[in-house]
Amino acid sequence: MEKQIGLFGGTFNPPHIGHLLIAEEALVQLNLDEVWWMPSSKPPHKEKDVEVPDEQRIEMVRRAIGNNNQFSLSLLEFERSGPSYTIDTIRLLTHKYPHIKFTFIMGGDMVHSLSSWHEIDELKNLVQFAGVGRAGYPIDQHWERYSVKHVEIPIIEISSSFIRSRSRSGGNIRYYVSDEVWKYVKENHLYGTN
C-alpha cells in the first residue's frame, strides 16, 4: 500500500502550539502515516526575520516535534539554492519517493493565494492539498478549484509574529509554544528575551 505523507512547510519562527495542532489533526483526519515538517529556506512570498538564524529555526522545530514519532524534520529546502518554490520541492520529492503519496498542508490564507503560486496547474496534479480553516478565509471556490481537503481544527489565533512581538515586549510566551521551544528561546535569548 502507498505510504501517505503530509508535508508541512513554514518559516516556523518560532514553531508554536497552533502548528503542532495543525500537524496532528492533519495526521489523524487525513489518515497520514507521517507528517514531514519542512522549514523554508527562502520563501518567495515573505521576508524572513533575519534576527533568528536558520540553524536556530531548525533546532526549534526539532525540539517542538521531538516527542512524536510520526513527525519528522526534512531539510530539503536547505539542500538547494534559490527561492523555495513548492513546485520544485514536490518535483524533487515525487522523483525521490515514487511510491509515496504526498499531501501538502497549509492554512486557509494560503488556499486563497493558490492561483498565484508558481506553476500551480502542474503542482495540483502532483500533490493533494489540505487546508486548515482560518478566520477571515471562508471555505469557498478556491478550495473547490484546487480540490483542497478540509482539516477541521479549533480556531486558535496564534501566530509566530504575535509570539515574536509579545516576547520582544517582555510578555510571557509559555504555553504558546511547547516547553522545549520555550526553554530554547529563553536559553538563547531569542526574540528579545533576557
Side-chain angles (χ1 to χ4, degrees):
M1 200 167 104
E2 229 179 8
K3 202 169 187 184
Q4 308 278 331
I5 301 292
L7 302 173
F8 189 31
T11 48
F12 302 123
N13 188 18
H16 53 69
I17 61 161
H19 292 132
L20 289 163
L21 187 60
I22 288 167
E24 180 66 17
E25 286 302 315
L27 183 81
V28 172
Q29 292 178 38
L30 303 173
N31 295 311
L32 303 174
D33 295 297
E34 296 172 32
V35 173
W36 295 356
W37 290 58
M38 303 183 79
S40 51
S41 172
K42 295 181 176 71
H45 55 87
K46 69 161 82 165
E47 280 298 310
K48 201 167 55 185
D49 190 328
V50 292
E51 179 184 340
V52 175
D54 292 340
E55 299 74 30
Q56 290 186 310
R57 289 190 301 118
I58 290 166
E59 183 57 30
M60 284 190 283
V61 171
R62 187 176 281 119
R63 289 172 184 237
I65 68 175
N67 63 358
N68 188 325
N69 62 8
Q70 287 181 287
F71 290 169
S72 62
L73 175 63
S74 167
L75 298 180
L76 182 67
E77 298 280 303
F78 293 91
E79 292 166 9
R80 55 196 174 83
S81 57
S84 299
Y85 288 111
T86 304
I87 185 70
D88 299 326
T89 302
I90 299 302
R91 279 185 189 133
L92 276 169
L93 287 169
T94 52
H95 178 72
K96 192 172 180 180
Y97 305 103
H99 302 297
I100 290 179
K101 184 176 190 300
F102 290 104
T103 297
F104 191 83
I105 304 160
M106 67 184 89
D109 54 333
M110 291 177 79
V111 174
H112 280 245
S113 74
L114 279 173
S115 60
S116 67
W117 283 28
H118 188 62
E119 298 186 44
I120 184 61
D121 291 327
E122 182 185 347
L123 181 59
K124 73 177 183 181
N125 293 325
L126 292 176
V127 72
Q128 170 67 57
F129 291 119
V132 175
R134 196 160 177 183
Y137 296 94
I139 296 169
D140 57 13
Q141 72 274 10
H142 295 90
W143 294 67
E144 198 175 304
R145 180 176 176 190
Y146 298 105
S147 304
V148 181
K149 289 186 176 176
H150 180 229
V151 177
E152 189 73 46
I153 67 160
I155 298 294
I156 298 178
E157 290 298 322
I158 297 175
S159 67
S160 295
S161 57
F162 166 80
I163 292 168
R164 292 192 304 269
S165 171
R166 186 179 174 103
S167 185
R168 283 188 191 111
S169 65
N172 179 34
I173 63 165
R174 191 171 192 183
Y175 306 121
Y176 287 92
V177 296
S178 71
D179 272 353
E180 287 303 312
V181 171
W182 177 66
K183 288 173 194 162
Y184 186 81
V185 167
K186 281 178 55 173
E187 286 162 10
N188 291 276
H189 311 292
L190 303 183
Y191 315 118
T193 54
N194 298 323

